[in-house]
Amino acid sequence: MIGRSTFARAGAGRLAGVSTAALMLGMLLPAAAFAQAAKIPATPDQPGSPPHTDPAPAQTAVVPEGQPADPAADVQPQTTAPDGTEGGADIVVTGFRRSLDAALNVKRESVASVDAIVAEDIAKFPDQNLAESLQRIPGISIQRDAGEGRAITVRGLGAQFTRVRVNGLETVATSTDGASSNRDRAFDFNVFASELFNSIVVHKTAEASLDEGSLGAVVDLNTGNPLGGKTGFTGVLSGQASYNDLSKNFGPRIAGLLSYKNDAGTFGASLSAAYQKTNNFELGNNTVRWSQGVFDSVNGTPCFTQPNRGGAYTNNATCDAVALAFHPRIPRYGSVRHDRERLGITGSVQWAPSDATKISIDGLYSRFKETREEKWGEVLLRSNERQMDVSNYTIDSNNNLIAATINDAWVRTEHYLRKSQTEFYQIGGSWDQDVTDTFRFTLLGGYSKSDATIPVETTFVFDDRDAQGFRYDYTNSRSPLISFGTSVTDPANFQLAEIRDRPSETVNNFRTAQLRTEWDVTEGLQIKAGGLYRRFAFDTKGFSRDAVVCPNAGGRDVVLGTITCTPNTNIGPTAVYGFPATNLGEIFNLGRAGQPTGTTTQFLIPNIAAAAQYTGLYNRTAAVLVGDTRSVSEEVTGGYGEFDVKGDLAGLRYAANVGMRYVHTAQKSTGLSSATVNGTTVNTPATVERSYDDWLPAINVALFPADKVIIRGAIAKVITRPTLGSLTPGGSVDGFNYRVSFGNPQLDPFRATSFDLSAEWYFAPQSIFSVAAFKKNIESFPVSQPRSGTFASTGLPLSVIPASSPAAQNPEGQLWTITQPINGTGASLKGVEIALQSSFRFLPGFLKNFGFLANATFIDSSAAYTQGGPATSVSRGVINPVTGAVTTAGGVLGAYPNVTRTATLFGLSKRAYNGTLYYEDAKFSARGSISYRSPYIDAASATGNLFEGYNKTINVDASLRYKLTQNFELSLEGTNLTDQYRDRYVDLDANRNYENNHFGRTFLMGARFKM
């Protein structure tokens, strides 16, 4: 009887083909090969098959008898086997090396290409953040937010191309952290406490039996597995205090686990919980992009026949040169506070009444709360250049106005507050049953929900619109000088000019049901088949309480109706455009933001509580934000068939699988269509339905030319469904950047053919040298198609322009960039991963306790993008020579011409390096890690810039641990030890400063007790 070993999947390989011919070839392998199957080591349970199985060693990793123990490891004679029965004199490998052994076992015993990270002990994940652990895997880079990992890129493909499963169930967890909320398919790893998980497994190649939807990878996150633990009760409690040297704040981190397994090994249950609270800062500067613009005068030469407003453009060459140069839109320094609280709870119950039956129920709850508070001192050049006088300026070789003195500058201070919360729930169950010795099934189902709410997203702004002597200098572009000529601490100089509040909610949920079956035809042939049902629903709603206090030229204010506004032609000391700032402000001191000497570091900013009470902001009726209110649902049905074979062909051992996966996707997209009826804006839901089918063949082959060498190859058809925001049947309006974006619910999925070839040499315990080459031919690749036009040409009502944006006051002040995604012609990607991991077990004395992990990834890709490039002209002014009347005002930038550029895929770094050096003996362990990521583009840009992205990053982390006893351990850890700045740029060629912020170093001191 195969019994429980069948849940280990009997070491069967997985061979998947990319065509009917390949499928037939797999079936036509000689029958003798099945009968003469080589004794390939039994494959351990793979995460997700069954879904609750966890590759982590629950208590110990055991070296089989006859194999040499690692002399550098902490070893003990084992008299009790992991299942609680009496065992032989095996050798127990403990500590960090145990996690490396378990992770390499997962990789080695899989036919497809996988990588893993495994906890060295229960409730003891090796990193503070799941994403930061993942960056140690070859081919994976991470994107950080507030100093910690948030999203991942796998082999150059961004977060939206990666599918994530928790205990075998696909899900999406979206946090509201970051400058903008995640309203897409990307998975936010910062939602979860790492202590809740025992392992992460990354599937880099597709299999017919593996969930579809990824061009990059399928990532399995696995929580507790109580039947894999020791008999009786197990308890773990850990506590840490974190300290950040920039914010000077402390925070607690607490985790605990209680697990039970009965003597018979038929029932197990576990409960774990983790809590963390931090309050850290992000300090630095920001430009909110660079743009072109026509100024009032240059070095005393008027650019218009009338100052500030009106008149005609003077057609001056000097004015043209400054207007067509790029200047920072909103040069500013400020701080961002991230007050975070993370709570997670997991529970698992497992029942195995016999070797043939196993039933599991797993639950996970996570709550991630953040208060994000921003404070800025800035000048609003954006859309206000017409009133400003420029002098003492410098234009560099990239056509950047990198330094200037400005009079009549529009000085602004901002205070922003967002309170957000993400609650994630998942409940899942599985039934694994051996029907006979050769046939078994797994029935899997579950539900998950991610609810990201923002009840408060408030901004108040103080304006001083006629400041004299403002000076900026971006000669050192990442550490600019910004000096305000006016007093920015005197309430008499400021007026409360704008109020904003934009509450929102984004909900994702998954319903999943799957049936998986396996039939052992012969010792070397296994057939897998299954069916699936999955329903994904995405729904987001956005609202606005925004108001400009004085939007009109004169008249009463629109917030309280208590002041009389002056015409917008009046920008001097007598201008009234808001409420007096007296008693509505507070003083903000910048702190250590990397600023040079001479930069203004103290500002009067609005006090949110006082300003909200004075204006009655939260009592205002919230209007629906059309572009931020939409939904998408996808119902996926299908099935798969797969042939797994292993054997010996002409003396060469092999394991392989070939299969086909079919999925039918029924999609429904809903957005709001706005129209003005009798002067009133009416929002009407518009729904578009469609469906499409995909046949996804896959083949994976593993060859074993020597005992310690594996050569793998894979070919597969893969898909990723379109970006959620692009599927909306409607449009969104950005009145700050004069952009209108329309959706396209008829977009095709990203479809690609993926090729992989790798070689692995397991030359010693905890050691591997591997090289992998990969290529993806992306056949369909949605791209944005831009055009320039008037707002009237969009057919949208003026009421959809955000009230607080410049375009609301002057909708046709400049041409708009209007974009819509279309099905593009595709893209290509290729790369190489190199990894080396080893312990120094061959060295004498204490040196044998050292070891290292290192990897490098080199990727290139090519995709064509069309964007609006820089304006190249300023419209000319014309004056009637007889009457002196203005015939044509002129002084408007020309349209942004469409420019098609070939560049890498978004989120792709061409180079990434990771290295970890560790030391471990019976009592003491230490690890130091360094991670490098080269620059990458992140998105298309605007205002004439081509692309925007991030410059290189280098992150250094370290940890120290000391065991006072076998059950009690002390620890000290440090992250971001070099205080790496996040350097974001705009324009691929000019590399203009978008932002340059740092987060400080974080240290964690703690203790851990296990019983």
Side-chain angles (χ1 to χ4, degrees), residues 457-521:
E457 187 172 9
T458 297
T459 305
F460 288 100
V461 300
F462 282 164
D463 281 351
D464 176 8
R465 299 182 179 178
D466 68 334
Q468 307 300 306
F470 169 73
R471 176 73 180 169
Y472 74 80
D473 189 341
Y474 280 78
T475 301
N476 180 352
S477 65
R478 267 51 191 181
S479 182
L481 169 70
I482 299 179
S483 177
F484 296 80
T486 188
S487 172
V488 288
T489 59
D490 185 355
N493 289 330
F494 285 106
Q495 300 178 39
L496 177 62
E498 289 185 26
I499 63 175
R500 304 175 201 156
D501 186 50
R502 298 176 183 175
S504 64
E505 180 178 26
T506 300
V507 178
N508 294 281
N509 61 63
F510 272 92
R511 293 174 174 85
T512 301
Q514 291 188 19
L515 175 65
R516 302 170 179 168
T517 66
E518 297 178 357
W519 176 31
D520 300 329
V521 182

Side-chain angles (χ1 to χ4, degrees), residues 127-133 148-150 189-190 194 253 342:
D127 292 272
Q128 301 298 323
N129 182 282
L130 296 178
E132 291 165 15
S133 291
E148 67 174 330
R150 178 181 182 183
F189 288 88
N190 56 356
S194 62
R253 186 180 184 114
R342 188 182 284 113

